[in-house]
Short mmCIF file of all heavy atoms in Angstrom, two decimals:
data_model
loop_
_atom_site.label_atom_id
_atom_site.label_comp_id
_atom_site.label_asym_id
_atom_site.label_seq_id
_atom_site.Cartn_x
_atom_site.Cartn_y
_atom_site.Cartn_z
N MET J 990 1.68 -17.65 5.79
CA MET J 990 1.63 -16.58 4.81
C MET J 990 0.27 -15.90 4.80
O MET J 990 0.18 -14.69 4.57
CB MET J 990 1.95 -17.18 3.43
CG MET J 990 2.21 -16.13 2.41
SD MET J 990 3.83 -15.39 2.63
CE MET J 990 3.47 -13.75 3.05
N ILE J 991 -0.78 -16.67 5.05
CA ILE J 991 -2.12 -16.09 5.09
C ILE J 991 -2.18 -14.98 6.14
O ILE J 991 -2.79 -13.94 5.93
CB ILE J 991 -3.18 -17.18 5.37
CG1 ILE J 991 -3.25 -18.16 4.21
CG2 ILE J 991 -4.54 -16.58 5.63
CD1 ILE J 991 -3.66 -17.56 2.89
N TYR J 992 -1.52 -15.21 7.28
CA TYR J 992 -1.49 -14.20 8.34
C TYR J 992 -0.90 -12.89 7.82
O TYR J 992 -1.45 -11.82 8.07
CB TYR J 992 -0.68 -14.73 9.53
CG TYR J 992 -0.41 -13.68 10.57
CD1 TYR J 992 -1.41 -13.28 11.45
CD2 TYR J 992 0.83 -13.06 10.65
CE1 TYR J 992 -1.18 -12.30 12.40
CE2 TYR J 992 1.07 -12.08 11.60
CZ TYR J 992 0.06 -11.71 12.47
OH TYR J 992 0.30 -10.74 13.40
N VAL J 993 0.19 -12.98 7.10
CA VAL J 993 0.85 -11.77 6.58
C VAL J 993 -0.06 -11.05 5.59
O VAL J 993 -0.22 -9.83 5.65
CB VAL J 993 2.20 -12.13 5.91
CG1 VAL J 993 2.79 -10.92 5.20
CG2 VAL J 993 3.17 -12.68 6.94
N LEU J 994 -0.70 -11.78 4.71
CA LEU J 994 -1.60 -11.16 3.73
C LEU J 994 -2.80 -10.51 4.41
O LEU J 994 -3.21 -9.41 4.03
CB LEU J 994 -2.05 -12.19 2.70
CG LEU J 994 -0.95 -12.73 1.78
CD1 LEU J 994 -1.50 -13.82 0.87
CD2 LEU J 994 -0.32 -11.62 0.96
N ARG J 995 -3.33 -11.15 5.43
CA ARG J 995 -4.44 -10.55 6.18
C ARG J 995 -3.98 -9.29 6.92
O ARG J 995 -4.70 -8.29 6.97
CB ARG J 995 -5.02 -11.55 7.18
CG ARG J 995 -5.85 -12.61 6.51
CD ARG J 995 -6.46 -13.52 7.53
NE ARG J 995 -7.21 -14.56 6.86
CZ ARG J 995 -7.55 -15.70 7.41
NH1 ARG J 995 -7.20 -15.95 8.67
NH2 ARG J 995 -8.23 -16.60 6.75
N MET J 996 -2.78 -9.35 7.49
CA MET J 996 -2.24 -8.20 8.20
C MET J 996 -2.08 -7.01 7.25
O MET J 996 -2.43 -5.88 7.58
CB MET J 996 -0.90 -8.56 8.83
CG MET J 996 -0.28 -7.44 9.64
SD MET J 996 1.28 -7.93 10.41
CE MET J 996 2.29 -8.23 8.98
N LEU J 997 -1.58 -7.28 6.05
CA LEU J 997 -1.42 -6.21 5.06
C LEU J 997 -2.77 -5.65 4.65
O LEU J 997 -2.92 -4.45 4.45
CB LEU J 997 -0.65 -6.72 3.84
CG LEU J 997 0.81 -7.07 4.07
CD1 LEU J 997 1.41 -7.66 2.80
CD2 LEU J 997 1.62 -5.88 4.55
N GLY J 998 -3.78 -6.52 4.54
CA GLY J 998 -5.12 -6.06 4.19
C GLY J 998 -5.72 -5.17 5.26
O GLY J 998 -6.31 -4.13 4.97
N VAL J 999 -5.53 -5.56 6.50
CA VAL J 999 -6.04 -4.76 7.61
C VAL J 999 -5.32 -3.41 7.63
O VAL J 999 -5.95 -2.36 7.82
CB VAL J 999 -5.87 -5.51 8.96
CG1 VAL J 999 -6.10 -4.59 10.14
CG2 VAL J 999 -6.80 -6.70 9.01
N ARG J 1000 -4.03 -3.43 7.43
CA ARG J 1000 -3.27 -2.18 7.42
C ARG J 1000 -3.75 -1.26 6.30
O ARG J 1000 -3.90 -0.05 6.49
CB ARG J 1000 -1.78 -2.46 7.28
CG ARG J 1000 -0.94 -1.21 7.47
CD ARG J 1000 0.50 -1.45 7.24
NE ARG J 1000 0.69 -1.81 5.84
CZ ARG J 1000 1.80 -2.31 5.35
NH1 ARG J 1000 2.81 -2.55 6.14
NH2 ARG J 1000 1.90 -2.61 4.09
N ALA J 1001 -4.02 -1.82 5.12
CA ALA J 1001 -4.50 -1.00 4.01
C ALA J 1001 -5.86 -0.37 4.33
O ALA J 1001 -6.10 0.79 4.01
CB ALA J 1001 -4.60 -1.85 2.73
N VAL J 1002 -6.72 -1.14 4.98
CA VAL J 1002 -8.03 -0.60 5.38
C VAL J 1002 -7.85 0.54 6.38
O VAL J 1002 -8.48 1.60 6.26
CB VAL J 1002 -8.93 -1.71 5.95
CG1 VAL J 1002 -10.16 -1.13 6.63
CG2 VAL J 1002 -9.34 -2.68 4.86
N LEU J 1003 -6.97 0.36 7.34
CA LEU J 1003 -6.73 1.41 8.34
C LEU J 1003 -6.15 2.67 7.71
O LEU J 1003 -6.52 3.79 8.07
CB LEU J 1003 -5.83 0.90 9.46
CG LEU J 1003 -6.45 -0.17 10.36
CD1 LEU J 1003 -5.42 -0.70 11.36
CD2 LEU J 1003 -7.67 0.36 11.08
N LEU J 1004 -5.24 2.49 6.75
CA LEU J 1004 -4.70 3.65 6.03
C LEU J 1004 -5.81 4.37 5.27
O LEU J 1004 -5.86 5.60 5.25
CB LEU J 1004 -3.60 3.21 5.05
CG LEU J 1004 -2.28 2.80 5.67
CD1 LEU J 1004 -1.39 2.13 4.61
CD2 LEU J 1004 -1.57 3.96 6.30
N GLY J 1005 -6.70 3.60 4.65
CA GLY J 1005 -7.82 4.21 3.92
C GLY J 1005 -8.76 4.97 4.83
O GLY J 1005 -9.20 6.08 4.50
N VAL J 1006 -9.04 4.41 6.00
CA VAL J 1006 -9.91 5.09 6.96
C VAL J 1006 -9.25 6.41 7.40
O VAL J 1006 -9.93 7.43 7.50
CB VAL J 1006 -10.21 4.18 8.17
CG1 VAL J 1006 -10.85 4.96 9.31
CG2 VAL J 1006 -11.10 3.03 7.74
N GLU J 1007 -7.96 6.36 7.65
CA GLU J 1007 -7.25 7.59 8.03
C GLU J 1007 -7.40 8.65 6.94
O GLU J 1007 -7.68 9.82 7.24
CB GLU J 1007 -5.77 7.30 8.27
CG GLU J 1007 -4.98 8.55 8.62
CD GLU J 1007 -3.49 8.32 8.74
OE1 GLU J 1007 -2.96 7.37 8.11
OE2 GLU J 1007 -2.84 9.11 9.44
N LEU J 1008 -7.24 8.26 5.69
CA LEU J 1008 -7.35 9.22 4.59
C LEU J 1008 -8.75 9.82 4.52
O LEU J 1008 -8.90 11.00 4.22
CB LEU J 1008 -6.99 8.56 3.26
CG LEU J 1008 -5.52 8.16 3.10
CD1 LEU J 1008 -5.34 7.38 1.80
CD2 LEU J 1008 -4.61 9.36 3.14
N LEU J 1009 -9.76 9.01 4.78
CA LEU J 1009 -11.13 9.50 4.73
C LEU J 1009 -11.45 10.45 5.89
O LEU J 1009 -12.29 11.33 5.75
CB LEU J 1009 -12.11 8.33 4.74
CG LEU J 1009 -12.13 7.48 3.47
CD1 LEU J 1009 -13.00 6.25 3.68
CD2 LEU J 1009 -12.60 8.29 2.29
N CYS J 1010 -10.79 10.25 7.02
CA CYS J 1010 -11.10 11.04 8.22
C CYS J 1010 -10.30 12.33 8.33
O CYS J 1010 -10.70 13.23 9.06
CB CYS J 1010 -10.87 10.19 9.46
SG CYS J 1010 -12.05 8.83 9.61
N LEU J 1011 -9.18 12.42 7.65
CA LEU J 1011 -8.33 13.61 7.78
C LEU J 1011 -8.97 14.81 7.11
O LEU J 1011 -9.47 14.72 5.99
CB LEU J 1011 -6.95 13.36 7.17
CG LEU J 1011 -6.05 12.42 7.95
CD1 LEU J 1011 -4.78 12.12 7.16
CD2 LEU J 1011 -5.69 13.01 9.31
N LYS J 1012 -8.93 15.93 7.80
CA LYS J 1012 -9.48 17.18 7.25
C LYS J 1012 -8.39 18.20 6.94
O LYS J 1012 -8.53 18.99 6.03
CB LYS J 1012 -10.46 17.80 8.26
CG LYS J 1012 -11.61 16.90 8.63
CD LYS J 1012 -12.48 16.58 7.46
CE LYS J 1012 -13.64 15.69 7.87
NZ LYS J 1012 -14.11 14.84 6.85
N ASP J 1013 -7.30 18.17 7.70
CA ASP J 1013 -6.20 19.11 7.51
C ASP J 1013 -5.42 18.73 6.24
O ASP J 1013 -4.91 17.61 6.13
CB ASP J 1013 -5.29 19.06 8.73
CG ASP J 1013 -4.09 20.00 8.62
OD1 ASP J 1013 -4.08 20.86 7.72
OD2 ASP J 1013 -3.16 19.86 9.44
N PRO J 1014 -5.30 19.65 5.27
CA PRO J 1014 -4.60 19.34 4.01
C PRO J 1014 -3.15 18.90 4.21
O PRO J 1014 -2.66 18.04 3.49
CB PRO J 1014 -4.67 20.65 3.22
CG PRO J 1014 -5.81 21.41 3.81
CD PRO J 1014 -5.89 20.99 5.25
N ASP J 1015 -2.48 19.49 5.20
CA ASP J 1015 -1.08 19.10 5.45
C ASP J 1015 -0.99 17.67 5.98
O ASP J 1015 -0.10 16.91 5.59
CB ASP J 1015 -0.42 20.06 6.44
CG ASP J 1015 -0.23 21.45 5.85
OD1 ASP J 1015 -0.10 21.55 4.61
OD2 ASP J 1015 -0.21 22.42 6.62
N GLU J 1016 -1.90 17.31 6.86
CA GLU J 1016 -1.93 15.94 7.40
C GLU J 1016 -2.31 14.94 6.32
O GLU J 1016 -1.77 13.84 6.25
CB GLU J 1016 -2.89 15.84 8.58
CG GLU J 1016 -2.37 16.47 9.83
CD GLU J 1016 -1.12 15.78 10.34
OE1 GLU J 1016 -1.09 14.54 10.43
OE2 GLU J 1016 -0.14 16.49 10.65
N LEU J 1017 -3.23 15.32 5.45
CA LEU J 1017 -3.62 14.46 4.35
C LEU J 1017 -2.45 14.23 3.40
O LEU J 1017 -2.18 13.11 2.98
CB LEU J 1017 -4.81 15.06 3.60
CG LEU J 1017 -5.36 14.26 2.43
CD1 LEU J 1017 -5.79 12.86 2.87
CD2 LEU J 1017 -6.51 15.00 1.78
N ASP J 1018 -1.72 15.29 3.10
CA ASP J 1018 -0.54 15.18 2.24
C ASP J 1018 0.49 14.25 2.87
O ASP J 1018 1.07 13.41 2.19
CB ASP J 1018 0.04 16.57 1.99
CG ASP J 1018 1.15 16.54 0.97
OD1 ASP J 1018 0.93 16.00 -0.14
OD2 ASP J 1018 2.25 17.06 1.28
N ARG J 1019 0.72 14.39 4.17
CA ARG J 1019 1.67 13.54 4.88
C ARG J 1019 1.23 12.07 4.80
O ARG J 1019 2.03 11.18 4.53
CB ARG J 1019 1.78 13.97 6.34
CG ARG J 1019 2.74 13.10 7.16
CD ARG J 1019 2.38 13.01 8.64
NE ARG J 1019 1.01 12.67 8.93
CZ ARG J 1019 0.50 11.42 8.93
NH1 ARG J 1019 1.24 10.40 8.59
NH2 ARG J 1019 -0.76 11.21 9.23
N ALA J 1020 -0.05 11.83 5.03
CA ALA J 1020 -0.57 10.46 5.00
C ALA J 1020 -0.45 9.85 3.60
O ALA J 1020 -0.14 8.67 3.46
CB ALA J 1020 -2.02 10.44 5.47
N LEU J 1021 -0.68 10.64 2.58
CA LEU J 1021 -0.56 10.14 1.21
C LEU J 1021 0.89 9.80 0.87
O LEU J 1021 1.17 8.78 0.24
CB LEU J 1021 -1.11 11.16 0.21
CG LEU J 1021 -2.62 11.29 0.19
CD1 LEU J 1021 -3.05 12.50 -0.63
CD2 LEU J 1021 -3.26 10.02 -0.34
N ARG J 1022 1.82 10.63 1.31
CA ARG J 1022 3.25 10.33 1.07
C ARG J 1022 3.66 9.07 1.81
O ARG J 1022 4.38 8.23 1.26
CB ARG J 1022 4.12 11.51 1.49
CG ARG J 1022 4.07 12.68 0.53
CD ARG J 1022 5.17 13.71 0.79
NE ARG J 1022 5.36 14.02 2.20
CZ ARG J 1022 4.73 14.97 2.88
NH1 ARG J 1022 3.84 15.72 2.26
NH2 ARG J 1022 4.99 15.19 4.15
N ALA J 1023 3.18 8.93 3.04
CA ALA J 1023 3.49 7.72 3.81
C ALA J 1023 2.89 6.49 3.13
O ALA J 1023 3.53 5.44 3.04
CB ALA J 1023 2.98 7.85 5.24
N GLY J 1024 1.66 6.62 2.64
CA GLY J 1024 1.02 5.50 1.94
C GLY J 1024 1.77 5.09 0.70
O GLY J 1024 1.90 3.89 0.41
N THR J 1025 2.29 6.07 -0.04
CA THR J 1025 3.08 5.76 -1.23
C THR J 1025 4.30 4.93 -0.85
O THR J 1025 4.60 3.91 -1.47
CB THR J 1025 3.52 7.04 -1.95
OG1 THR J 1025 2.35 7.79 -2.31
CG2 THR J 1025 4.32 6.74 -3.19
N PHE J 1026 4.99 5.35 0.19
CA PHE J 1026 6.18 4.61 0.65
C PHE J 1026 5.81 3.21 1.12
O PHE J 1026 6.45 2.23 0.75
CB PHE J 1026 6.87 5.39 1.79
CG PHE J 1026 8.02 4.65 2.38
CD1 PHE J 1026 9.24 4.62 1.72
CD2 PHE J 1026 7.89 3.97 3.57
CE1 PHE J 1026 10.31 3.92 2.25
CE2 PHE J 1026 8.96 3.27 4.12
CZ PHE J 1026 10.17 3.25 3.45
N ILE J 1027 4.76 3.10 1.92
CA ILE J 1027 4.35 1.80 2.47
C ILE J 1027 3.96 0.83 1.35
O ILE J 1027 4.42 -0.31 1.31
CB ILE J 1027 3.17 1.99 3.45
CG1 ILE J 1027 3.67 2.68 4.72
CG2 ILE J 1027 2.49 0.66 3.77
CD1 ILE J 1027 2.56 3.20 5.60
N HIS J 1028 3.13 1.29 0.42
CA HIS J 1028 2.67 0.39 -0.65
C HIS J 1028 3.79 0.05 -1.63
O HIS J 1028 3.82 -1.06 -2.17
CB HIS J 1028 1.46 0.99 -1.36
CG HIS J 1028 0.26 1.09 -0.47
ND1 HIS J 1028 -0.27 0.01 0.20
CD2 HIS J 1028 -0.52 2.15 -0.13
CE1 HIS J 1028 -1.31 0.40 0.91
NE2 HIS J 1028 -1.48 1.69 0.73
N THR J 1029 4.71 0.98 -1.86
CA THR J 1029 5.86 0.68 -2.72
C THR J 1029 6.72 -0.40 -2.09
O THR J 1029 7.14 -1.34 -2.78
CB THR J 1029 6.68 1.95 -2.99
OG1 THR J 1029 5.87 2.92 -3.64
CG2 THR J 1029 7.90 1.65 -3.85
N SER J 1030 6.98 -0.27 -0.79
CA SER J 1030 7.79 -1.30 -0.13
C SER J 1030 7.07 -2.65 -0.12
O SER J 1030 7.71 -3.70 -0.28
CB SER J 1030 8.18 -0.86 1.28
OG SER J 1030 7.06 -0.80 2.12
N ASP J 1031 5.74 -2.64 0.02
CA ASP J 1031 4.97 -3.89 -0.05
C ASP J 1031 5.11 -4.53 -1.43
O ASP J 1031 5.30 -5.74 -1.54
CB ASP J 1031 3.49 -3.63 0.23
CG ASP J 1031 3.20 -3.31 1.68
OD1 ASP J 1031 4.08 -3.48 2.54
OD2 ASP J 1031 2.05 -2.87 1.95
N ALA J 1032 4.97 -3.72 -2.48
CA ALA J 1032 5.06 -4.25 -3.84
C ALA J 1032 6.44 -4.84 -4.11
O ALA J 1032 6.56 -5.95 -4.66
CB ALA J 1032 4.75 -3.15 -4.86
N LEU J 1033 7.48 -4.13 -3.71
CA LEU J 1033 8.84 -4.63 -3.92
C LEU J 1033 9.10 -5.90 -3.11
O LEU J 1033 9.74 -6.84 -3.61
CB LEU J 1033 9.86 -3.55 -3.58
CG LEU J 1033 9.87 -2.33 -4.51
CD1 LEU J 1033 10.78 -1.24 -3.95
CD2 LEU J 1033 10.28 -2.73 -5.91
N SER J 1034 8.61 -5.92 -1.89
CA SER J 1034 8.80 -7.11 -1.04
C SER J 1034 8.07 -8.32 -1.60
O SER J 1034 8.62 -9.43 -1.61
CB SER J 1034 8.30 -6.83 0.38
OG SER J 1034 9.06 -5.82 0.98
N ALA J 1035 6.85 -8.12 -2.08
CA ALA J 1035 6.09 -9.24 -2.65
C ALA J 1035 6.76 -9.76 -3.93
O ALA J 1035 6.86 -10.97 -4.13
CB ALA J 1035 4.66 -8.80 -2.94
N ALA J 1036 7.23 -8.84 -4.76
CA ALA J 1036 7.90 -9.25 -6.00
C ALA J 1036 9.17 -10.03 -5.68
O ALA J 1036 9.45 -11.07 -6.29
CB ALA J 1036 8.22 -8.03 -6.86
N ARG J 1037 9.92 -9.54 -4.72
CA ARG J 1037 11.16 -10.21 -4.33
C ARG J 1037 10.87 -11.59 -3.73
O ARG J 1037 11.56 -12.56 -4.03
CB ARG J 1037 11.92 -9.33 -3.33
CG ARG J 1037 13.22 -9.88 -2.85
CD ARG J 1037 14.22 -9.92 -3.98
NE ARG J 1037 15.46 -10.46 -3.48
CZ ARG J 1037 16.62 -10.23 -4.02
NH1 ARG J 1037 16.70 -9.47 -5.08
NH2 ARG J 1037 17.70 -10.76 -3.52
N ALA J 1038 9.85 -11.68 -2.89
CA ALA J 1038 9.49 -12.96 -2.28
C ALA J 1038 9.09 -13.98 -3.36
O ALA J 1038 9.44 -15.15 -3.27
CB ALA J 1038 8.37 -12.78 -1.27
N GLY J 1039 8.38 -13.52 -4.37
CA GLY J 1039 8.02 -14.40 -5.48
C GLY J 1039 9.23 -14.83 -6.27
O GLY J 1039 9.36 -15.99 -6.67
N GLN J 1040 10.15 -13.90 -6.47
CA GLN J 1040 11.38 -14.19 -7.22
C GLN J 1040 12.26 -15.19 -6.48
O GLN J 1040 12.84 -16.08 -7.09
CB GLN J 1040 12.14 -12.89 -7.46
CG GLN J 1040 13.38 -13.02 -8.30
CD GLN J 1040 14.07 -11.68 -8.47
OE1 GLN J 1040 14.03 -10.83 -7.61
NE2 GLN J 1040 14.72 -11.51 -9.61
N GLU J 1041 12.33 -15.05 -5.16
CA GLU J 1041 13.17 -15.94 -4.36
C GLU J 1041 12.50 -17.26 -4.04
O GLU J 1041 13.14 -18.19 -3.56
CB GLU J 1041 13.55 -15.25 -3.04
CG GLU J 1041 14.48 -14.09 -3.22
CD GLU J 1041 14.80 -13.39 -1.91
OE1 GLU J 1041 14.08 -13.62 -0.91
OE2 GLU J 1041 15.76 -12.61 -1.90
N GLY J 1042 11.18 -17.33 -4.26
CA GLY J 1042 10.45 -18.56 -3.97
C GLY J 1042 9.99 -18.68 -2.53
O GLY J 1042 9.50 -19.73 -2.12
N THR J 1043 10.15 -17.62 -1.74
CA THR J 1043 9.67 -17.66 -0.36
C THR J 1043 8.16 -17.42 -0.29
O THR J 1043 7.56 -17.62 0.75
CB THR J 1043 10.40 -16.64 0.53
OG1 THR J 1043 10.26 -15.34 -0.04
CG2 THR J 1043 11.88 -16.99 0.64
N LEU J 1044 7.59 -16.99 -1.39
CA LEU J 1044 6.15 -16.85 -1.55
C LEU J 1044 5.81 -17.49 -2.89
O LEU J 1044 6.50 -17.24 -3.89
CB LEU J 1044 5.74 -15.37 -1.53
CG LEU J 1044 4.26 -15.03 -1.60
CD1 LEU J 1044 3.50 -15.66 -0.43
CD2 LEU J 1044 4.07 -13.52 -1.58
N ALA J 1045 4.78 -18.31 -2.91
CA ALA J 1045 4.38 -18.99 -4.15
C ALA J 1045 4.08 -17.96 -5.24
O ALA J 1045 3.70 -16.82 -4.96
CB ALA J 1045 3.16 -19.87 -3.89
N ARG J 1046 4.24 -18.38 -6.47
CA ARG J 1046 4.14 -17.47 -7.61
C ARG J 1046 2.81 -16.72 -7.67
O ARG J 1046 2.79 -15.50 -7.79
CB ARG J 1046 4.35 -18.27 -8.90
CG ARG J 1046 4.27 -17.45 -10.15
CD ARG J 1046 4.54 -18.33 -11.38
NE ARG J 1046 4.19 -17.67 -12.60
CZ ARG J 1046 5.02 -16.90 -13.30
NH1 ARG J 1046 6.23 -16.70 -12.86
NH2 ARG J 1046 4.62 -16.34 -14.42
N ARG J 1047 1.70 -17.44 -7.58
CA ARG J 1047 0.39 -16.79 -7.71
C ARG J 1047 0.12 -15.77 -6.59
O ARG J 1047 -0.27 -14.64 -6.88
CB ARG J 1047 -0.71 -17.83 -7.79
CG ARG J 1047 -2.10 -17.21 -7.90
CD ARG J 1047 -3.15 -18.21 -8.16
NE ARG J 1047 -3.32 -18.25 -9.61
CZ ARG J 1047 -4.00 -19.16 -10.25
NH1 ARG J 1047 -4.54 -20.15 -9.60
NH2 ARG J 1047 -4.13 -19.09 -11.55
N PRO J 1048 0.32 -16.13 -5.31
CA PRO J 1048 0.12 -15.12 -4.26
C PRO J 1048 1.10 -13.94 -4.39
O PRO J 1048 0.74 -12.80 -4.10
CB PRO J 1048 0.36 -15.87 -2.96
CG PRO J 1048 0.17 -17.30 -3.29
CD PRO J 1048 0.55 -17.44 -4.73
N ALA J 1049 2.32 -14.21 -4.83
CA ALA J 1049 3.30 -13.13 -5.01
C ALA J 1049 2.84 -12.17 -6.10
O ALA J 1049 2.94 -10.95 -5.95
CB ALA J 1049 4.67 -13.70 -5.34
N MET J 1050 2.33 -12.72 -7.18
CA MET J 1050 1.84 -11.88 -8.28
C MET J 1050 0.63 -11.06 -7.82
O MET J 1050 0.53 -9.87 -8.13
CB MET J 1050 1.49 -12.74 -9.49
CG MET J 1050 2.71 -13.30 -10.19
SD MET J 1050 2.30 -14.44 -11.54
CE MET J 1050 1.33 -13.41 -12.60
N ALA J 1051 -0.26 -11.68 -7.06
CA ALA J 1051 -1.45 -10.98 -6.58
C ALA J 1051 -1.06 -9.86 -5.61
O ALA J 1051 -1.55 -8.73 -5.73
CB ALA J 1051 -2.40 -11.96 -5.90
N ALA J 1052 -0.18 -10.17 -4.67
CA ALA J 1052 0.25 -9.16 -3.70
C ALA J 1052 0.99 -8.01 -4.38
O ALA J 1052 0.79 -6.84 -4.04
CB ALA J 1052 1.13 -9.80 -2.63
N THR J 1053 1.82 -8.34 -5.36
CA THR J 1053 2.54 -7.30 -6.10
C THR J 1053 1.57 -6.42 -6.87
O THR J 1053 1.69 -5.19 -6.85
CB THR J 1053 3.57 -7.93 -7.06
OG1 THR J 1053 4.48 -8.74 -6.30
CG2 THR J 1053 4.35 -6.88 -7.81
N ALA J 1054 0.61 -7.04 -7.53
CA ALA J 1054 -0.37 -6.27 -8.31
C ALA J 1054 -1.22 -5.37 -7.42
O ALA J 1054 -1.44 -4.19 -7.74
CB ALA J 1054 -1.27 -7.22 -9.11
N ILE J 1055 -1.69 -5.90 -6.31
CA ILE J 1055 -2.52 -5.11 -5.40
C ILE J 1055 -1.74 -3.94 -4.83
O ILE J 1055 -2.23 -2.80 -4.80
CB ILE J 1055 -3.09 -6.00 -4.27
CG1 ILE J 1055 -4.11 -6.98 -4.83
CG2 ILE J 1055 -3.68 -5.16 -3.14
CD1 ILE J 1055 -4.49 -8.10 -3.89
N SER J 1056 -0.52 -4.19 -4.40
CA SER J 1056 0.30 -3.11 -3.84
C SER J 1056 0.66 -2.07 -4.89
O SER J 1056 0.68 -0.87 -4.60
CB SER J 1056 1.56 -3.69 -3.19
OG SER J 1056 1.21 -4.46 -2.06
N THR J 1057 0.91 -2.52 -6.12
CA THR J 1057 1.21 -1.58 -7.20
C THR J 1057 -0.01 -0.71 -7.50
O THR J 1057 0.12 0.50 -7.73
CB THR J 1057 1.68 -2.34 -8.46
OG1 THR J 1057 2.85 -3.10 -8.11
CG2 THR J 1057 2.02 -1.39 -9.59
N LEU J 1058 -1.18 -1.31 -7.49
CA LEU J 1058 -2.41 -0.54 -7.67
C LEU J 1058 -2.57 0.50 -6.55
O LEU J 1058 -2.93 1.65 -6.80
CB LEU J 1058 -3.63 -1.46 -7.71
CG LEU J 1058 -4.99 -0.78 -7.77
CD1 LEU J 1058 -5.12 0.06 -9.04
CD2 LEU J 1058 -6.10 -1.80 -7.68
N ASN J 1059 -2.27 0.09 -5.33
CA ASN J 1059 -2.34 1.02 -4.21
C ASN J 1059 -1.37 2.19 -4.38
O ASN J 1059 -1.69 3.33 -4.04
CB ASN J 1059 -2.08 0.30 -2.89
CG ASN J 1059 -3.23 -0.58 -2.47
OD1 ASN J 1059 -4.37 -0.35 -2.87
ND2 ASN J 1059 -2.95 -1.58 -1.66
N VAL J 1060 -0.18 1.92 -4.90
CA VAL J 1060 0.78 3.00 -5.18
C VAL J 1060 0.19 3.96 -6.20
O VAL J 1060 0.22 5.18 -6.01
CB VAL J 1060 2.13 2.44 -5.70
CG1 VAL J 1060 3.04 3.56 -6.17
CG2 VAL J 1060 2.83 1.63 -4.61
N ALA J 1061 -0.38 3.42 -7.26
CA ALA J 1061 -0.99 4.27 -8.29
C ALA J 1061 -2.11 5.12 -7.70
O ALA J 1061 -2.23 6.32 -8.02
CB ALA J 1061 -1.52 3.41 -9.44
N LEU J 1062 -2.90 4.54 -6.82
CA LEU J 1062 -3.99 5.29 -6.19
C LEU J 1062 -3.45 6.42 -5.31
O LEU J 1062 -4.05 7.51 -5.27
CB LEU J 1062 -4.88 4.35 -5.38
CG LEU J 1062 -5.72 3.37 -6.20
CD1 LEU J 1062 -6.41 2.38 -5.28
CD2 LEU J 1062 -6.71 4.10 -7.09
N THR J 1063 -2.34 6.19 -4.62
CA THR J 1063 -1.78 7.28 -3.81
C THR J 1063 -1.29 8.42 -4.70
O THR J 1063 -1.45 9.58 -4.35
CB THR J 1063 -0.63 6.81 -2.89
OG1 THR J 1063 0.47 6.35 -3.67
CG2 THR J 1063 -1.09 5.74 -1.93
N PHE J 1064 -0.71 8.08 -5.85
CA PHE J 1064 -0.27 9.15 -6.77
C PHE J 1064 -1.47 9.94 -7.31
O PHE J 1064 -1.42 11.16 -7.42
CB PHE J 1064 0.56 8.58 -7.92
CG PHE J 1064 1.96 8.22 -7.54
CD1 PHE J 1064 2.48 6.99 -7.87
CD2 PHE J 1064 2.77 9.11 -6.86
CE1 PHE J 1064 3.78 6.64 -7.54
CE2 PHE J 1064 4.08 8.77 -6.50
CZ PHE J 1064 4.58 7.53 -6.85
N LEU J 1065 -2.53 9.22 -7.67
CA LEU J 1065 -3.74 9.91 -8.15
C LEU J 1065 -4.32 10.81 -7.08
O LEU J 1065 -4.74 11.94 -7.37
CB LEU J 1065 -4.78 8.87 -8.60
CG LEU J 1065 -4.52 8.17 -9.91
CD1 LEU J 1065 -5.53 7.07 -10.14
CD2 LEU J 1065 -4.52 9.14 -11.06
N ALA J 1066 -4.36 10.32 -5.85
CA ALA J 1066 -4.90 11.12 -4.76
C ALA J 1066 -4.04 12.36 -4.50
O ALA J 1066 -4.57 13.44 -4.21
CB ALA J 1066 -5.00 10.29 -3.50
N GLN J 1067 -2.74 12.23 -4.64
CA GLN J 1067 -1.86 13.38 -4.43
C GLN J 1067 -2.08 14.44 -5.51
O GLN J 1067 -2.00 15.63 -5.22
CB GLN J 1067 -0.39 12.93 -4.42
CG GLN J 1067 -0.01 12.19 -3.16
CD GLN J 1067 1.40 11.67 -3.21
OE1 GLN J 1067 2.31 12.38 -3.58
NE2 GLN J 1067 1.58 10.41 -2.82
N ARG J 1068 -2.37 14.02 -6.70
CA ARG J 1068 -2.65 14.99 -7.79
C ARG J 1068 -3.93 15.76 -7.54
O ARG J 1068 -4.04 16.91 -7.93
CB ARG J 1068 -2.74 14.27 -9.13
CG ARG J 1068 -1.39 13.79 -9.63
CD ARG J 1068 -1.50 13.19 -10.98
NE ARG J 1068 -2.10 14.15 -11.89
CZ ARG J 1068 -2.23 13.96 -13.18
NH1 ARG J 1068 -1.81 12.85 -13.71
NH2 ARG J 1068 -2.79 14.86 -13.95
N ARG J 1069 -4.89 15.09 -6.91
CA ARG J 1069 -6.20 15.74 -6.65
C ARG J 1069 -6.14 16.63 -5.42
O ARG J 1069 -6.99 17.49 -5.23
CB ARG J 1069 -7.27 14.67 -6.44
CG ARG J 1069 -7.46 13.81 -7.68
CD ARG J 1069 -8.55 12.86 -7.49
NE ARG J 1069 -9.80 13.55 -7.85
CZ ARG J 1069 -10.99 13.06 -7.67
NH1 ARG J 1069 -11.12 11.90 -7.12
NH2 ARG J 1069 -12.05 13.73 -8.03
N ASN J 1070 -5.15 16.42 -4.58
CA ASN J 1070 -5.04 17.17 -3.33
C ASN J 1070 -4.44 18.53 -3.54
O ASN J 1070 -3.68 18.93 -4.21
CB ASN J 1070 -4.21 16.36 -2.32
CG ASN J 1070 -4.22 16.98 -0.96
OD1 ASN J 1070 -5.03 17.84 -0.66
ND2 ASN J 1070 -3.32 16.51 -0.14
#
């Protein structure tokens, strides 16, 4: 499970770097929409894994909270764009 959490962390960092490097407003908008979808699916998957017991309660809650925060950040960024 640690591998999966690290992989998700690396992916989030790469998505953030992409957002910082994009200059074209259309490409930035596309990346933000994709990020919203990606982080929403992460949050739902983590919550489901915790519910089913395939991920321990505490890591499931942490992963769900982090991904939900990331979703909120994508919405905030879209409003500013």
